[in-house]
Short mmCIF file of all heavy atoms in Angstrom, two decimals:
data_model
loop_
_atom_site.label_atom_id
_atom_site.label_comp_id
_atom_site.label_asym_id
_atom_site.label_seq_id
_atom_site.Cartn_x
_atom_site.Cartn_y
_atom_site.Cartn_z
N LEU A 1 17.07 185.93 138.53
CA LEU A 1 16.10 186.70 139.43
C LEU A 1 16.02 186.16 140.81
O LEU A 1 15.96 186.89 141.84
CB LEU A 1 14.60 186.63 138.76
CG LEU A 1 13.62 187.45 139.42
CD1 LEU A 1 13.91 188.91 139.43
CD2 LEU A 1 12.19 187.21 138.70
N MET A 2 16.04 184.85 140.97
CA MET A 2 16.06 184.23 142.27
C MET A 2 17.27 184.57 143.09
O MET A 2 17.25 184.80 144.28
CB MET A 2 15.89 182.67 142.15
CG MET A 2 15.64 181.91 143.43
SD MET A 2 13.99 182.40 144.09
CE MET A 2 14.08 181.62 145.70
N ARG A 3 18.46 184.57 142.49
CA ARG A 3 19.70 184.90 143.15
C ARG A 3 19.61 186.35 143.68
O ARG A 3 19.96 186.57 144.88
CB ARG A 3 20.82 184.78 142.15
CG ARG A 3 22.27 185.17 142.77
CD ARG A 3 23.28 185.14 141.75
NE ARG A 3 24.66 185.42 142.34
CZ ARG A 3 25.12 186.61 142.41
NH1 ARG A 3 24.43 187.70 142.09
NH2 ARG A 3 26.29 186.86 142.98
N THR A 4 19.14 187.27 142.81
CA THR A 4 19.10 188.66 143.33
C THR A 4 18.06 188.81 144.49
O THR A 4 18.37 189.44 145.47
CB THR A 4 18.58 189.57 142.15
OG1 THR A 4 19.53 189.47 141.06
CG2 THR A 4 18.56 191.04 142.59
N SER A 5 16.92 188.08 144.35
CA SER A 5 15.90 188.18 145.33
C SER A 5 16.37 187.52 146.68
O SER A 5 16.19 188.08 147.76
CB SER A 5 14.67 187.54 144.92
OG SER A 5 13.65 187.61 145.89
N MET A 6 17.09 186.41 146.56
CA MET A 6 17.62 185.76 147.74
C MET A 6 18.64 186.54 148.43
O MET A 6 18.69 186.61 149.68
CB MET A 6 18.25 184.34 147.36
CG MET A 6 17.26 183.19 147.24
SD MET A 6 16.62 182.65 148.81
CE MET A 6 18.10 182.05 149.63
N LEU A 7 19.53 187.22 147.73
CA LEU A 7 20.61 188.13 148.35
C LEU A 7 19.96 189.11 149.16
O LEU A 7 20.39 189.56 150.26
CB LEU A 7 21.51 188.66 147.25
CG LEU A 7 22.45 187.65 146.58
CD1 LEU A 7 23.19 188.34 145.52
CD2 LEU A 7 23.46 187.08 147.66
N ASP A 8 18.79 189.69 148.60
CA ASP A 8 18.08 190.80 149.29
C ASP A 8 17.45 190.26 150.61
O ASP A 8 17.54 190.85 151.65
CB ASP A 8 17.06 191.33 148.37
CG ASP A 8 16.19 192.46 149.05
OD1 ASP A 8 16.83 193.45 149.48
OD2 ASP A 8 15.04 192.25 149.27
N VAL A 9 16.87 189.06 150.54
CA VAL A 9 16.20 188.41 151.65
C VAL A 9 17.21 188.03 152.69
O VAL A 9 16.99 188.32 153.94
CB VAL A 9 15.33 187.24 151.28
CG1 VAL A 9 14.93 186.45 152.50
CG2 VAL A 9 14.15 187.64 150.38
N LEU A 10 18.33 187.50 152.30
CA LEU A 10 19.35 187.04 153.27
C LEU A 10 19.97 188.20 154.06
O LEU A 10 20.63 187.96 155.21
CB LEU A 10 20.44 186.34 152.55
CG LEU A 10 20.09 184.87 152.03
CD1 LEU A 10 21.21 184.33 151.21
CD2 LEU A 10 19.68 183.93 153.12
N SER A 11 19.79 189.37 153.55
CA SER A 11 20.38 190.56 154.29
C SER A 11 19.37 191.27 155.22
O SER A 11 19.69 192.19 155.87
CB SER A 11 20.77 191.66 153.25
OG SER A 11 19.72 192.16 152.50
N GLN A 12 18.18 190.72 155.25
CA GLN A 12 17.14 191.24 156.16
C GLN A 12 17.33 190.88 157.54
O GLN A 12 18.03 190.04 157.92
CB GLN A 12 15.73 190.73 155.67
CG GLN A 12 15.34 191.05 154.26
CD GLN A 12 15.17 192.54 154.00
OE1 GLN A 12 14.58 193.29 154.86
NE2 GLN A 12 15.75 193.09 152.90
N ASP A 13 16.71 191.85 158.44
CA ASP A 13 16.92 191.70 159.89
C ASP A 13 16.39 190.41 160.44
O ASP A 13 17.03 189.76 161.38
CB ASP A 13 16.33 192.85 160.64
CG ASP A 13 17.10 194.23 160.29
OD1 ASP A 13 18.23 194.08 160.03
OD2 ASP A 13 16.39 195.26 160.46
N TYR A 14 15.31 189.91 159.88
CA TYR A 14 14.63 188.73 160.44
C TYR A 14 15.58 187.48 160.17
O TYR A 14 15.50 186.49 160.92
CB TYR A 14 13.30 188.50 160.03
CG TYR A 14 13.09 188.21 158.57
CD1 TYR A 14 13.12 186.92 158.14
CD2 TYR A 14 12.83 189.17 157.61
CE1 TYR A 14 12.90 186.58 156.74
CE2 TYR A 14 12.66 188.91 156.25
CZ TYR A 14 12.67 187.69 155.82
OH TYR A 14 12.49 187.33 154.53
N ILE A 15 16.34 187.49 159.16
CA ILE A 15 17.28 186.45 158.84
C ILE A 15 18.41 186.41 159.84
O ILE A 15 18.83 185.39 160.31
CB ILE A 15 17.77 186.48 157.45
CG1 ILE A 15 16.55 186.33 156.39
CG2 ILE A 15 18.75 185.42 157.17
CD1 ILE A 15 15.87 184.96 156.46
N LYS A 16 18.91 187.69 160.10
CA LYS A 16 19.93 187.75 161.04
C LYS A 16 19.46 187.32 162.43
O LYS A 16 20.22 186.64 163.21
CB LYS A 16 20.38 189.26 161.08
CG LYS A 16 20.99 189.76 159.83
CD LYS A 16 21.39 191.26 159.97
CE LYS A 16 22.03 191.73 158.60
NZ LYS A 16 22.33 193.21 158.70
N THR A 17 18.18 187.65 162.80
CA THR A 17 17.70 187.23 163.98
C THR A 17 17.53 185.72 164.17
O THR A 17 17.91 185.09 165.10
CB THR A 17 16.21 187.84 164.29
OG1 THR A 17 16.34 189.27 164.23
CG2 THR A 17 15.64 187.37 165.58
N ALA A 18 17.15 185.06 163.03
CA ALA A 18 17.11 183.62 162.99
C ALA A 18 18.47 182.94 163.15
O ALA A 18 18.63 181.98 163.88
CB ALA A 18 16.50 183.14 161.63
N LYS A 19 19.49 183.61 162.53
CA LYS A 19 20.83 183.08 162.75
C LYS A 19 21.24 183.27 164.21
O LYS A 19 21.90 182.26 164.72
CB LYS A 19 21.83 183.87 161.89
CG LYS A 19 21.67 183.57 160.34
CD LYS A 19 22.64 184.37 159.54
CE LYS A 19 22.49 184.05 158.06
NZ LYS A 19 23.49 184.91 157.21
N SER A 20 20.93 184.37 164.85
CA SER A 20 21.29 184.58 166.21
C SER A 20 20.64 183.64 167.19
O SER A 20 21.18 183.41 168.22
CB SER A 20 21.01 186.01 166.59
OG SER A 20 19.62 186.29 166.62
N LYS A 21 19.50 183.04 166.78
CA LYS A 21 18.77 182.05 167.61
C LYS A 21 19.38 180.70 167.45
O LYS A 21 18.92 179.76 168.10
CB LYS A 21 17.28 182.09 167.22
CG LYS A 21 16.52 183.44 167.66
CD LYS A 21 15.07 183.31 167.35
CE LYS A 21 14.31 184.48 167.81
NZ LYS A 21 12.92 184.47 167.52
N GLY A 22 20.31 180.52 166.58
CA GLY A 22 20.97 179.27 166.38
C GLY A 22 20.29 178.31 165.46
O GLY A 22 20.64 177.12 165.43
N LEU A 23 19.46 178.78 164.51
CA LEU A 23 18.88 177.97 163.48
C LEU A 23 19.89 177.53 162.51
O LEU A 23 20.80 178.42 162.17
CB LEU A 23 17.70 178.71 162.89
CG LEU A 23 16.47 179.07 163.73
CD1 LEU A 23 15.43 179.79 162.89
CD2 LEU A 23 15.90 177.81 164.34
N ASN A 24 19.77 176.33 162.03
CA ASN A 24 20.85 175.91 161.08
C ASN A 24 20.58 176.51 159.64
O ASN A 24 19.43 177.02 159.43
CB ASN A 24 20.88 174.33 161.02
CG ASN A 24 19.59 173.83 160.54
OD1 ASN A 24 19.07 174.11 159.41
ND2 ASN A 24 18.99 173.00 161.32
N GLN A 25 21.54 176.52 158.85
CA GLN A 25 21.48 177.19 157.59
C GLN A 25 20.38 176.65 156.70
O GLN A 25 19.66 177.38 155.96
CB GLN A 25 22.83 177.13 156.84
CG GLN A 25 22.85 177.98 155.55
CD GLN A 25 24.15 177.93 154.80
OE1 GLN A 25 24.83 176.80 154.74
NE2 GLN A 25 24.65 179.06 154.30
N ARG A 26 20.24 175.33 156.64
CA ARG A 26 19.20 174.67 155.84
C ARG A 26 17.82 175.20 156.17
O ARG A 26 17.06 175.61 155.33
CB ARG A 26 19.27 173.13 155.95
CG ARG A 26 18.25 172.44 155.11
CD ARG A 26 18.31 170.97 155.27
NE ARG A 26 19.66 170.48 154.72
CZ ARG A 26 20.01 169.19 154.70
NH1 ARG A 26 19.19 168.29 155.22
NH2 ARG A 26 21.17 168.86 154.27
N GLU A 27 17.58 175.28 157.47
CA GLU A 27 16.24 175.81 157.88
C GLU A 27 16.02 177.25 157.56
O GLU A 27 14.98 177.64 157.18
CB GLU A 27 16.08 175.55 159.40
CG GLU A 27 14.68 175.82 159.92
CD GLU A 27 14.50 175.45 161.35
OE1 GLU A 27 15.48 174.99 162.01
OE2 GLU A 27 13.39 175.67 161.88
N ILE A 28 17.06 178.02 157.73
CA ILE A 28 17.00 179.48 157.42
C ILE A 28 16.82 179.64 155.96
O ILE A 28 15.89 180.53 155.57
CB ILE A 28 18.27 180.15 157.84
CG1 ILE A 28 18.46 180.18 159.39
CG2 ILE A 28 18.34 181.62 157.33
CD1 ILE A 28 19.74 180.76 159.88
N VAL A 29 17.49 178.91 155.10
CA VAL A 29 17.36 179.11 153.62
C VAL A 29 15.98 178.66 153.19
O VAL A 29 15.17 179.44 152.52
CB VAL A 29 18.50 178.34 152.94
CG1 VAL A 29 18.22 178.30 151.40
CG2 VAL A 29 19.82 179.02 153.24
N TRP A 30 15.66 177.37 153.41
CA TRP A 30 14.46 176.79 152.84
C TRP A 30 13.15 177.10 153.55
O TRP A 30 12.06 177.10 152.89
CB TRP A 30 14.62 175.30 152.71
CG TRP A 30 15.66 174.86 151.81
CD1 TRP A 30 16.99 174.37 152.20
CD2 TRP A 30 15.72 174.98 150.39
NE1 TRP A 30 17.74 174.19 151.09
CE2 TRP A 30 17.01 174.61 149.94
CE3 TRP A 30 14.83 175.50 149.42
CZ2 TRP A 30 17.41 174.59 148.68
CZ3 TRP A 30 15.21 175.46 148.15
CH2 TRP A 30 16.44 175.01 147.73
N ARG A 31 13.18 177.45 154.82
CA ARG A 31 11.93 177.68 155.55
C ARG A 31 11.73 179.26 155.62
O ARG A 31 10.52 179.63 155.59
CB ARG A 31 12.07 177.11 156.98
CG ARG A 31 10.81 177.28 157.73
CD ARG A 31 10.90 176.54 159.13
NE ARG A 31 9.61 176.75 159.90
CZ ARG A 31 9.50 176.21 161.11
NH1 ARG A 31 10.45 175.46 161.68
NH2 ARG A 31 8.41 176.38 161.74
N HIS A 32 12.69 180.06 155.78
CA HIS A 32 12.45 181.45 156.01
C HIS A 32 12.85 182.31 154.87
O HIS A 32 12.26 183.41 154.65
CB HIS A 32 13.31 181.86 157.24
CG HIS A 32 12.95 181.23 158.53
ND1 HIS A 32 11.78 181.57 159.26
CD2 HIS A 32 13.50 180.21 159.21
CE1 HIS A 32 11.67 180.83 160.29
NE2 HIS A 32 12.71 179.99 160.24
N SER A 33 13.74 181.95 154.02
CA SER A 33 14.22 182.73 152.92
C SER A 33 13.61 182.48 151.53
O SER A 33 13.03 183.41 150.91
CB SER A 33 15.74 182.59 152.73
OG SER A 33 16.46 182.87 153.89
N VAL A 34 13.50 181.20 151.19
CA VAL A 34 13.03 180.91 149.85
C VAL A 34 11.57 181.39 149.62
O VAL A 34 11.29 181.92 148.58
CB VAL A 34 13.21 179.43 149.52
CG1 VAL A 34 12.52 179.00 148.22
CG2 VAL A 34 14.64 179.04 149.52
N LYS A 35 10.76 181.10 150.73
CA LYS A 35 9.26 181.43 150.43
C LYS A 35 9.03 182.90 150.25
O LYS A 35 8.07 183.31 149.63
CB LYS A 35 8.44 180.85 151.60
CG LYS A 35 8.65 181.59 152.95
CD LYS A 35 7.72 181.07 153.94
CE LYS A 35 7.81 181.84 155.23
NZ LYS A 35 6.87 181.32 156.28
N ASN A 36 9.98 183.72 150.76
CA ASN A 36 9.83 185.22 150.52
C ASN A 36 10.56 185.70 149.28
O ASN A 36 10.11 186.53 148.49
CB ASN A 36 10.47 185.95 151.72
CG ASN A 36 9.58 185.79 153.00
OD1 ASN A 36 8.33 185.87 152.97
ND2 ASN A 36 10.27 185.45 154.14
N ALA A 37 11.70 184.99 149.00
CA ALA A 37 12.53 185.33 147.83
C ALA A 37 11.82 184.95 146.53
O ALA A 37 12.07 185.49 145.47
CB ALA A 37 13.88 184.71 147.97
N ILE A 38 10.95 183.96 146.56
CA ILE A 38 10.30 183.42 145.38
C ILE A 38 9.22 184.27 144.80
O ILE A 38 8.86 184.12 143.64
CB ILE A 38 9.76 182.01 145.67
CG1 ILE A 38 9.71 181.24 144.38
CG2 ILE A 38 8.37 182.10 146.28
CD1 ILE A 38 9.29 179.74 144.62
N MET A 39 8.77 185.35 145.55
CA MET A 39 7.67 186.15 145.13
C MET A 39 7.97 186.86 143.77
O MET A 39 7.08 186.80 142.88
CB MET A 39 7.31 187.14 146.21
CG MET A 39 6.84 186.58 147.46
SD MET A 39 5.48 185.26 147.27
CE MET A 39 4.32 186.25 146.40
N PRO A 40 9.13 187.46 143.59
CA PRO A 40 9.44 188.10 142.27
C PRO A 40 9.39 187.09 141.12
O PRO A 40 9.01 187.50 140.00
CB PRO A 40 10.80 188.66 142.46
CG PRO A 40 11.01 188.87 143.90
CD PRO A 40 10.23 187.73 144.53
N VAL A 41 9.73 185.89 141.41
CA VAL A 41 9.68 184.78 140.34
C VAL A 41 8.20 184.61 139.89
O VAL A 41 7.90 184.41 138.74
CB VAL A 41 10.27 183.52 140.82
CG1 VAL A 41 10.16 182.39 139.76
CG2 VAL A 41 11.78 183.77 141.17
N VAL A 42 7.30 184.61 140.88
CA VAL A 42 5.88 184.36 140.56
C VAL A 42 5.36 185.47 139.64
O VAL A 42 4.60 185.27 138.63
CB VAL A 42 5.09 184.35 141.90
CG1 VAL A 42 3.52 184.21 141.54
CG2 VAL A 42 5.52 183.17 142.80
#
């Protein structure tokens, strides 16, 4: 479930914007993606 949710979040525009601003992958994944992707798990 987390994999499916993460793939959906990683394709969102705000993630692409974060990448374009030069944020590193670790910050994008754990700060911006996981907290939104984890909702279906809850």
Side-chain angles (χ1 to χ4, degrees):
L1 184 60
M2 190 66 187
R3 178 183 183 273
T4 302
S5 183
M6 275 291 293
L7 289 175
D8 179 62
V9 170
L10 290 173
S11 66
Q12 297 298 315
D13 291 337
Y14 67 89
I15 297 298
K16 297 177 182 178
T17 302
K19 291 180 179 178
S20 66
K21 290 182 177 180
L23 296 180
N24 60 61
Q25 187 180 40
R26 178 179 299 180
E27 188 174 3
I28 292 174
V29 170
W30 296 107
R31 184 175 179 181
H32 298 283
S33 301
V34 171
K35 71 176 183 179
N36 292 315
I38 205 173
M39 299 311 303
V41 176
V42 176

